[in-house]
Amino acid sequence: MRILEGESVTKNFGGLAAVAQVDFAVHRGEVVGLIGPNGAGKTTLFNLISGALVPKSGTIRLRGENITGLKPHLICRKGVARTFQSVKVFGHMPVHANVLVGALFGTPNRMSAEDANRETAELLEFVGLSGAGALPARDLTLANQKRLEVARALATQPEVLLLDELMAGLNPTEVAETMDLVAKIRERGITLLMIEHVMKAIMCACDRIIVLHHGKKIAEGTPQEVATSRTVVEVYLGE
């Protein structure tokens, strides 16, 4: 069953088509990778899905409902959460409060303060930050700030989670730990669409991969199909 889909999604910045007539579909429970060279339009597509940008044309649907052009907070409450390419935590606030914001303001149904605090504590344990709740978020390492973003996104009770380069800047041990976290999120029944340049993670974690280049979808298939695509090798993976 398709949970998230786009039809002919297009976004221009001046004369530049950052996303051009892109069709995509993500089925419930899938992990789908979104790859391509820098500037291919990957984060722009995430911004269009999450409501940070409005498409020039095309349609985006969640569970069959047209969400094109809705405000980000409304899309979040309908079940789409995200992390960011450049980490965006509330640095001056404690780690616990960062996640509490998602639980109190991002969920489809109003949550009591008691329930929100309980959910926050459970999510911090889930992502491996149970002992860091009182720390200012700015004091966390990059890897842990990324985990904090994941916890905050999960606090909104999403059905679809958009992960934008969750493993960028991490060392091999942190990448392996983050891959384990992605697997645990999938086990919770959450559908994942992830932008990633760490090919090991993409090939191991994803059911399907979509490849963008100059704003256009140039390939789609299983990791094996994409890895052996001559077009993808030429424009992105290299020999």
Side-chain angles (χ1 to χ4, degrees), residues 112-126:
S112 70
E114 181 180 0
D115 287 343
N117 275 293
R118 185 185 305 112
E119 178 73 5
T120 294
E122 290 174 354
L123 286 170
L124 287 175
E125 182 174 1
F126 177 76

Side-chain angles (χ1 to χ4, degrees), residues 5-11 17-25 34 40-42 45 48-49 57-60 210-220:
E5 58 188 319
E7 182 179 349
S8 300
V9 178
T10 299
K11 177 65 179 180
V19 174
Q21 297 288 315
V22 171
D23 296 328
F24 67 90
L34 186 61
K42 305 181 298 295
L45 184 58
L48 294 169
I49 294 168
S57 59
T59 304
I60 300 169
I210 297 168
V211 188
L212 297 183
H213 185 51
H214 294 318
K216 297 180 179 180
K217 184 171 75 173
I218 62 168
E220 179 177 355

Side-chain angles (χ1 to χ4, degrees), residues 6-238:
E7 182 179 349
S8 300
V9 178
T10 299
K11 177 65 179 180
N12 284 23
F13 294 110
L16 173 67
V19 174
Q21 297 288 315
V22 171
D23 296 328
F24 67 90
V26 182
H27 296 84
R28 189 179 296 276
E30 269 193 315
V31 178
V32 176
L34 186 61
I35 68 172
N38 290 331
K42 305 181 298 295
T43 294
T44 299
L45 184 58
F46 267 26
N47 287 336
L48 294 169
I49 294 168
S50 63
L53 294 174
V54 177
K56 175 185 177 183
S57 59
T59 304
I60 300 169
R61 297 185 183 88
L62 177 69
R63 298 185 303 274
E65 177 186 353
N66 188 351
I67 61 169
T68 314
L70 288 183
K71 297 295 185 183
H73 70 282
L74 296 177
I75 292 175
C76 179
R77 290 174 184 168
K78 286 181 180 294
V80 178
R82 69 172 297 183
T83 66
F84 295 87
Q85 184 176 16
S86 298
V87 176
K88 298 186 187 302
V89 297
F90 301 113
H92 65 289
M93 290 169 53
V95 166
H96 184 94
N98 268 262
V99 182
L100 189 63
V101 166
L104 287 173
F105 300 109
T107 57
N109 300 305
R110 178 85 48 165
M111 190 181 296
S112 70
E114 181 180 0
D115 287 343
N117 275 293
R118 185 185 305 112
E119 178 73 5
T120 294
E122 290 174 354
L123 286 170
L124 287 175
E125 182 174 1
F126 177 76
V127 301
L129 295 176
S130 58
L135 292 176
R138 64 173 174 262
D139 290 350
L140 297 178
T141 64
L142 174 62
N144 283 340
Q145 286 188 13
K146 286 173 177 279
R147 286 175 176 270
L148 178 57
E149 272 204 330
V150 170
R152 185 177 61 197
L154 291 175
T156 69
Q157 300 177 353
E159 292 185 62
V160 179
L161 180 57
L162 311 178
L163 300 174
D164 195 345
E165 295 197 37
L166 188 60
M167 300 174 209
L170 304 188
N171 64 42
T173 298
E174 292 166 340
V175 167
E177 292 170 348
T178 303
M179 288 173 65
D180 289 341
L181 178 58
V182 169
K184 286 167 58 181
I185 294 169
R186 182 180 195 169
E187 289 171 2
R188 292 170 74 106
I190 296 170
T191 303
L192 295 166
L193 180 59
M194 55 189 293
I195 297 171
E196 197 52 72
H197 287 291
V198 179
M199 282 297 100
K200 177 182 176 182
I202 283 288
M203 294 299 169
C204 292
C206 296
D207 302 303
R208 285 188 299 116
I209 297 172
I210 297 168
V211 188
L212 297 183
H213 185 51
H214 294 318
K216 297 180 179 180
K217 184 171 75 173
I218 62 168
E220 179 177 355
T222 66
Q224 180 63 27
E225 289 169 342
V226 166
T228 56
S229 164
R230 188 171 189 84
T231 300
V232 175
V233 168
E234 287 175 353
V235 304
Y236 182 52
L237 296 177

